[in-house]
Amino acid sequence: SSLLPLRLQLARAFARQPKAANGTVSTTTTIMLNARKKILKEKGAAPTALEEEVAKALFDIEVSPSSDIKADLRDVVICGAQDLEVKNRTALIIRFPFRVWKTVQKIQGRLIRELEKKFSKKHVIFVANRTILDKNFRRKGLKIRPRSRTLTSVHESILEDVVGPAEIFGKRTRISVDGTKLLKVMLDPKDKDKNDVEAKLSTYSAVYKKLTNKEAVFMFPEA
């Protein structure tokens, strides 16, 4: 899908901003326009209020003098954000374009910590935006379908995204009598105390279900 050039998105946003009496744009508007640079929506779609809030938080971290990840954040943009209610907690799912995902992974733990300070009481989850190619891929002019674009592969990658920066230690699928499948995901014990991971296990299950429509439970291996 084509993406409207960022410069054009910003120009349109700028044109819509209220001007002061002398024709200049207010400081608040300037901050919002700078924050808008952190959002890249498909086909120039308007960002939601939540996406603008996340973009502003990212921009604040990027310009903070005390931030040790500001250089990495310079090229990082988001392409979506949504809230998901999980029991007595809200999960904030933030989507990143795949081209910036490697950079995000480098600072994932630190960036999640910073964002969770700004969005208190929310569990922040990062996911890369990936395209699934179905079996009609030849109609799109492709001779072969890369394995990384199959449904199975994308769902495996989402599983790894959701628990990041923790790592998956092992997986097994349990099939019940009625044929339903439940994926049991073991996380690496060394990650137990990182980023409050243990408190997020039910959040991981809810987010994975939301993104893939598949059931999974997350746990640490018993000592």
Side-chain angles (χ1 to χ4, degrees):
S1 55
S2 61
L3 290 168
L4 197 69
L6 185 60
R7 196 175 294 171
L8 185 53
Q9 288 185 45
L10 290 169
R12 286 182 178 179
F14 187 86
R16 288 196 294 267
Q17 299 307 315
K19 305 287 191 296
N22 61 1
T24 60
V25 179
S26 69
T27 307
T28 310
T29 304
T30 307
I31 292 167
M32 283 313 298
L33 281 172
N34 281 328
R36 277 277 181 96
K37 292 176 187 174
K38 308 303 286 179
I39 311 174
L40 190 64
K41 298 282 285 182
E42 288 193 354
K43 297 177 182 170
T48 64
L50 179 64
E51 286 164 352
E52 291 196 332
E53 214 180 325
V54 172
K56 186 179 180 307
L58 284 174
F59 181 71
D60 287 347
I61 297 166
E62 187 185 324
V63 297
S64 166
S66 60
S67 172
D68 63 345
I69 54 175
K70 58 199 302 177
D72 293 299
L73 266 180
R74 199 168 295 130
D75 297 322
V76 169
V77 293
I78 65 164
C79 56
Q82 67 184 112
D83 277 336
L84 177 67
E85 295 306 319
V86 185
K87 292 183 181 174
N88 57 348
R89 191 64 83 105
T90 302
L92 171 56
I93 307 166
I94 303 174
R95 291 181 174 274
F96 295 87
F98 189 72
R99 65 178 174 80
V100 302
W101 185 239
K102 272 200 164 41
T103 305
V104 172
Q105 282 181 304
K106 270 169 52 187
I107 56 171
Q108 192 167 4
R110 285 173 292 168
L111 186 53
I112 285 175
R113 269 197 307 276
E114 291 296 324
L115 287 171
E116 285 183 340
K117 287 179 200 167
K118 292 179 178 291
F119 295 92
S120 58
K121 298 184 181 165
K122 288 189 182 184
H123 282 160
V124 175
I125 305 287
F126 291 171
V127 185
N129 218 27
R130 295 178 176 86
T131 308
I132 295 169
L133 288 176
D134 59 23
K135 289 177 182 174
N136 296 326
F137 62 92
R138 285 192 177 86
R139 289 185 191 168
K140 296 178 181 173
L142 298 168
K143 289 182 181 173
I144 57 167
R145 176 172 58 161
R147 190 191 169 278
S148 63
R149 297 289 196 88
T150 62
L151 180 80
T152 304
S153 178
V154 169
H155 284 185
E156 280 174 8
S157 297
I158 288 172
L159 193 68
E160 290 170 6
D161 292 355
V162 165
V163 302
E167 292 179 2
I168 293 171
F169 193 65
K171 290 181 282 191
R172 67 170 180 266
T173 303
R174 189 171 144 196
I175 303 173
S176 59
V177 181
D178 63 0
T180 54
K181 291 181 179 180
L182 176 67
L183 182 63
K184 287 192 167 187
V185 183
M186 302 286 177
L187 299 179
D188 195 325
K190 70 174 169 55
D191 296 322
K192 203 167 189 173
D193 301 320
K194 279 186 192 171
N195 277 32
D196 213 14
V197 167
E198 202 163 12
K200 295 180 179 178
L201 299 178
S202 58
T203 301
Y204 296 154
S205 297
V207 172
Y208 185 68
K209 169 84 173 172
K210 173 74 176 173
L211 298 177
T212 66
N213 207 27
K214 289 179 178 175
E215 301 285 350
V217 290
F218 297 81
M219 60 191 76
F220 287 98
E222 290 174 12

